[in-house]
Amino acid sequence: MTPNGRRLRRVLAAIAIVVAAGFMIPVRVWFGQSTALAEAGAQERRLVAEQHELRTRLKASTSNDTIEVQARDLLSLVRPGDEPYSVSPPDTPAVLLPPVWPFDRVQRPLANYHGGR
């Protein structure tokens, strides 16, 4: 092969490499964008499901029954005509004995006696 033929092959090979590199960059970017698009789609589906759940909870929390239950439980409110009452916790015993034998057998009757006043 002549020196000009070799030179022509080298030039054509260099051009082919440059053209191939020029195509590889956009193809790589395209694949990266498709991956990002798939991730964004998955995130959108999760957010739509969460939004649906929150709207359902909002509808449930604004119903009159739910508001009444929360007002009674959290704020101790009553309706007109209802009689409110409360139950106090039992008193703590006046004598606190160590929780070892034989005192552990005496502490419970003392607590029952003290609470039964």
Side-chain angles (χ1 to χ4, degrees):
M1 182 169 275
T2 64
N4 286 339
R6 286 186 202 150
R7 188 176 295 156
L8 180 62
R9 280 189 173 175
R10 287 181 188 162
V11 169
L12 289 176
I15 291 173
I17 290 172
V18 169
V19 168
F23 280 116
M24 287 178 61
I25 293 171
V27 167
R28 200 167 39 171
V29 168
W30 182 74
F31 279 121
Q33 287 176 344
S34 64
T35 301
L37 184 63
E39 290 172 358
Q43 183 180 11
E44 179 190 17
R45 287 188 294 277
R46 284 192 305 270
L47 290 173
V48 166
E50 183 180 351
Q51 181 184 31
H52 177 70
E53 177 192 347
L54 289 173
R55 284 187 180 177
T56 303
R57 287 175 52 191
L58 178 64
K59 284 180 184 177
S61 69
T62 56
S63 72
N64 290 336
D65 294 336
T66 305
I67 292 172
E68 181 179 353
V69 166
Q70 289 180 352
R72 287 177 179 270
D73 290 346
L74 300 176
L75 303 175
S76 301
L77 298 179
V78 294
R79 287 183 167 265
D82 285 354
E83 286 189 38
Y85 63 92
S86 63
V87 177
S88 300
D91 293 335
T92 57
V95 178
L96 291 175
L97 300 174
V100 295
W101 186 86
F103 302 112
D104 60 343
R105 300 190 182 258
V106 176
Q107 183 67 48
R108 187 175 301 136
L110 280 177
N112 289 340
Y113 173 76
H114 223 288
R117 270 198 253 172

